Amino acid sequence: MHDVATEVTLVVVVGILLIGAVATIANRIGVAAPLLLVLLGAVIALVPGSPEIVVPPEVFLTIILPPLLYTAALRVPAVDFRRNLRVIGYLSVVLVALSALAVALVLQSIWPVIGFAAALALGAVVAPPDAVAATALGKRLGLPPRVVTILEGEGLLNDATALVLLTTAVAAIERPGSSEVEGAALVGDFALAVVVALAVGLVVGYATVLIRQLAGDRAIDTAISIATPFVSFLAAESLRGSGIVAVVVTGLVIGNRSQIRIRATRRAQESATWSTFSVIVENGVFLTMGMQLPAVITAVDEGERHLAGVVAVGLLLCAVLLAVRLAALPPLLAWLRHHAGRVQRGHARLAERLDSVDTSTKRGARLRYAHIVRGHDITALRDQRLGWRDTLAIGWAGMRGVVTVAAVQTLPADTPMRAELVLAAFVVAIVTLLVQGGTLSFLVRALGVGKNASDRRRAELESLVGEAIDAGIEAMRREAEVNGIDEMIVEVASERMLARRDWAAHVAEVDPDDPSTDVAQISRLRHVAIEAERVWLDRVRRTGRFDSSTVAVAQRIIDREEIGLQADEDEH
């Protein structure tokens, strides 16, 4: 027992070190880290005496996927997600279902022996793109914020559609004497799973923010943060909901509510924790895939079909997936343009209603707020209107990744031609990462997508930060008037907000426990100003007046100010 534990610990430690080293090398040479890790894993598996890695399928679905999706959801602005919900829903539900069906039909025509259920299972496995690599590269290349948000949202929700399809197909495979998939049951299961997941995700999200807001200890806060995605996932699954959707909703709630409810130091710590976990786990999946690849190839070679034929099928599926994705985007673009006209007409009708409503009443205030929000939505969507270049970039960014690699290993052992299906899924993941992932940067540069976005964001940021500072200074002035704080101290605190200065020597000379010192009063005023800035920024974020990427930068600036203030107080 001790030897087994030692071996497992050694494998994990070596794996983490290899992941860190390969990720560093990949960044320097400009190659996708997953591809290098697959190659390294295959080489390790061929070394005599290397350990055989067998990961139970449940580990992928209950331990790996929830935190990965939760981490991604924390970074998605809720306003942008809401504005693009139609696009995200089309890509993550309609397109995934069409892709899975297309793959199933092609696969069954090539390998009739596997049956439609097994073919649909593989279709569900390869249908959802993993947008993590695409969005990371997109941000680096300066893709428009709307395109990045669409890719992030698609990558979060399409897994739920794929896993519901996969679960239904696997149930048909395991059903004695039947391999048929019932369409009505599939739609009903999906609807129930989504509704339950939405409810669970919202409850867990809001409850977690409240609990973490009241938690006084940083260690407890971190423990709650780590447990949150698993609590949301297990609660939804126990109620027959989609754990994946629940985790995404929880992440969206916490990611957007915590910016005003949870201290910046704790949010910074949470971000670092989950980023590290995400890098290790996601890359670990590809390393494990590489280590399993030789065994899968051997199983295929020993079967009735040749290895080259299975690889060719995998390449054909790549072409099918890309063709379906590109074909589905022009109708989406036409639909969005039609919908934009309807939204503008609705906004005009709402303006007419406001003329006959007393805006001082609650109902009038709600209508006025809705009118303001809708106006900002229309402006933002008009400024970031999707064109054919944007949709082509979205279409080409459909790389398959962790979900495909993990989900295919959940196929039952008695699935017809299981080894061939697993290898075909591996081929799809590797080829799409290599071809589409490797050429996306060239395509984006050739299309010139997002070339002028930086100037606009810079101007927005300057305006946003200026207004936030004005709100903070005004709050300090009101606080000073109420508490009789000298005007000169207000001016000093204002100067520190405009340009942080080095005053450590002065701070060191005063008594940190004396609340009457100028240092203590300035610290108090700065806390008031930061809180006012956070409240104001949250109001701006919810109305959608500024671009979410600009708001995020302003939020980081305010967070750094708060973290610096907390560091000053902790030091003295």
Side-chain angles (χ1 to χ4, degrees), residues 489 492-493 496 503-527 565 568-569 572:
I489 294 178
V492 172
R496 285 182 55 78
W503 67 317
H506 174 63
V507 173
E509 293 174 357
V510 301
D511 181 4
D513 297 324
D514 185 358
S516 65
T517 63
D518 61 343
V519 171
Q521 291 180 350
I522 289 173
S523 177
R524 177 182 176 184
L525 290 174
R526 288 174 65 199
H527 273 299
L565 177 58
D568 287 345
E569 294 174 349
H572 300 283

Side-chain angles (χ1 to χ4, degrees), residues 42-342:
V43 171
I44 292 174
L46 295 175
V47 175
S50 61
E52 182 180 355
I53 303 296
V54 179
V55 182
E58 296 78 13
V59 171
F60 285 109
L61 296 179
T62 61
I63 297 179
I64 292 177
L65 283 184
L68 284 178
L69 294 174
Y70 176 74
T71 306
L74 287 175
R75 298 191 294 264
V76 177
V79 172
D80 286 0
F81 190 86
R82 173 181 58 78
R83 284 174 176 165
N84 294 285
L85 190 57
R86 286 178 176 81
V87 182
I88 292 170
Y90 178 86
L91 294 176
S92 58
V93 178
V94 177
L95 181 55
V96 167
L98 289 174
S99 299
L101 181 60
V103 167
L105 294 175
V106 170
L107 202 59
Q108 192 178 28
S109 66
I110 298 173
W111 294 333
V113 68
I114 66 175
F116 183 73
L120 183 62
L122 186 69
V125 164
V126 300
D130 181 4
V132 174
T135 52
L137 183 58
K139 290 177 180 178
R140 212 161 51 234
L141 296 172
L143 278 176
R146 188 181 184 188
V147 174
V148 175
T149 299
I150 289 171
L151 291 174
E152 285 179 331
E154 179 194 10
L156 290 174
L157 294 185
N158 59 15
D159 298 335
T161 306
L163 291 177
V164 170
L165 283 171
L166 177 61
T167 301
T168 306
V170 167
I173 294 173
E174 295 177 334
R175 194 181 303 126
S178 174
S179 63
E180 297 300 319
V181 179
E182 298 180 5
L186 181 60
V187 175
D189 290 346
F190 182 77
L192 176 64
V194 170
V195 171
V196 172
L198 287 173
V200 172
L202 289 172
V203 170
V204 175
Y206 280 102
T208 301
V209 171
L210 178 61
I211 294 171
R212 291 180 59 188
Q213 187 179 0
L214 300 175
D217 187 79
R218 184 177 296 182
I220 294 176
D221 181 78
T222 302
I224 295 172
S225 173
I226 293 173
T228 297
F230 302 104
V231 171
S232 183
F233 181 87
L234 294 174
E237 290 289 328
S238 66
L239 297 173
R240 295 185 60 194
S242 169
I244 298 301
V245 174
V247 167
V248 170
V249 173
T250 298
L252 288 172
V253 170
I254 294 175
N256 288 272
R257 295 296 297 167
S258 65
Q259 295 178 1
I260 188 173
R261 303 290 182 183
I262 300 175
R263 293 169 63 174
T265 49
R266 295 187 179 179
R267 283 187 282 112
Q269 179 178 329
E270 177 185 43
S271 177
T273 299
W274 283 117
S275 295
T276 303
F277 177 89
S278 185
V279 169
I280 292 175
V281 171
E282 186 175 355
N283 288 323
V285 171
F286 285 101
L287 181 63
T288 304
M289 170 186 168
M291 297 182 71
Q292 294 175 335
L293 196 56
V296 173
I297 291 174
T298 300
V300 171
D301 246 354
E302 292 175 350
E304 298 177 2
R305 287 160 182 83
H306 295 295
L307 177 62
V310 177
V311 173
V313 170
L315 294 175
L316 175 61
L317 296 184
C318 292
V320 169
L321 290 168
L322 182 58
V324 171
R325 186 174 179 86
L326 292 176
L329 290 175
L332 172 64
L333 201 57
W335 177 46
L336 289 177
R337 288 174 178 168
H338 173 71
H339 179 71
R342 293 178 54 193

Side-chain angles (χ1 to χ4, degrees), residues 41 53 90 166 171 274 279 309 369 371 388 404 428 437 481 483 510 513 570:
I53 303 296
Y90 178 86
L166 177 61
W274 283 117
V279 169
Y369 180 78
H371 182 264
W388 69 268
T404 294
V428 170
E481 289 177 4
N483 294 279
V510 301
D513 297 324
D570 292 343

Side-chain angles (χ1 to χ4, degrees), residues 319-566:
V320 169
L321 290 168
L322 182 58
V324 171
R325 186 174 179 86
L326 292 176
L329 290 175
L332 172 64
L333 201 57
W335 177 46
L336 289 177
R337 288 174 178 168
H338 173 71
H339 179 71
R342 293 178 54 193
V343 171
Q344 289 180 347
R345 290 190 293 271
H347 187 246
R349 287 194 296 269
L350 185 58
E352 293 174 0
R353 289 180 60 192
L354 277 175
D355 292 337
S356 60
V357 174
D358 183 5
T359 55
S360 62
T361 63
K362 286 185 178 180
R363 178 173 176 272
R366 284 197 297 268
L367 285 175
R368 183 173 180 274
Y369 180 78
H371 182 264
I372 292 172
V373 171
R374 190 172 295 178
H376 291 320
D377 288 350
I378 292 172
T379 301
L381 294 177
R382 184 182 63 240
D383 292 344
Q384 300 180 40
R385 182 179 300 168
L386 294 176
W388 69 268
R389 292 180 178 85
D390 303 303
T391 53
L392 183 56
I394 292 172
W396 196 255
M399 294 95 73
R400 273 62 185 176
V402 173
V403 174
T404 294
V405 174
V408 73
Q409 299 179 62
T410 66
L411 293 177
D414 56 350
T415 302
M417 295 177 57
R418 185 182 187 279
E420 286 81 356
L421 296 178
V422 171
L423 181 57
F426 283 3
V427 170
V428 170
I430 293 172
V431 171
T432 55
L433 281 172
L434 179 63
V435 177
Q436 292 169 240
T439 58
L440 182 60
S441 60
F442 300 104
L443 178 66
V444 169
R445 283 194 288 269
L447 294 174
V449 179
K451 284 172 97 176
N452 302 319
S454 59
D455 292 337
R456 180 174 60 83
R457 284 200 293 268
R458 191 179 301 110
E460 275 200 340
L461 178 60
E462 184 177 346
S463 174
L464 177 59
V465 172
E467 292 185 25
I469 290 176
D470 289 343
I473 292 175
E474 180 61 29
M476 286 197 301
R477 294 189 186 283
R478 291 195 300 267
E479 180 74 9
E481 289 177 4
V482 172
N483 294 279
I485 297 176
D486 190 272
E487 180 67 23
M488 183 61 69
I489 294 178
V490 178
E491 293 301 326
V492 172
S494 300
E495 288 180 8
R496 285 182 55 78
M497 288 183 61
L498 295 169
R500 186 172 176 86
R501 296 174 180 174
D502 185 12
W503 67 317
H506 174 63
V507 173
E509 293 174 357
V510 301
D511 181 4
D513 297 324
D514 185 358
S516 65
T517 63
D518 61 343
V519 171
Q521 291 180 350
I522 289 173
S523 177
R524 177 182 176 184
L525 290 174
R526 288 174 65 199
H527 273 299
V528 170
I530 288 171
E531 182 62 24
E533 288 178 326
R534 290 171 61 184
V535 171
W536 181 87
L537 196 63
D538 182 69
R539 189 181 306 123
V540 171
R541 178 186 295 109
R542 285 185 282 111
T543 62
R545 178 181 164 198
F546 291 90
D547 186 271
S548 291
S549 62
T550 305
V551 176
V553 175
Q555 182 72 60
R556 289 197 295 271
I557 292 173
I558 296 174
D559 287 351
R560 283 197 292 268
E561 177 73 7
E562 181 181 347
I563 292 170
L565 177 58
Q566 187 65 46

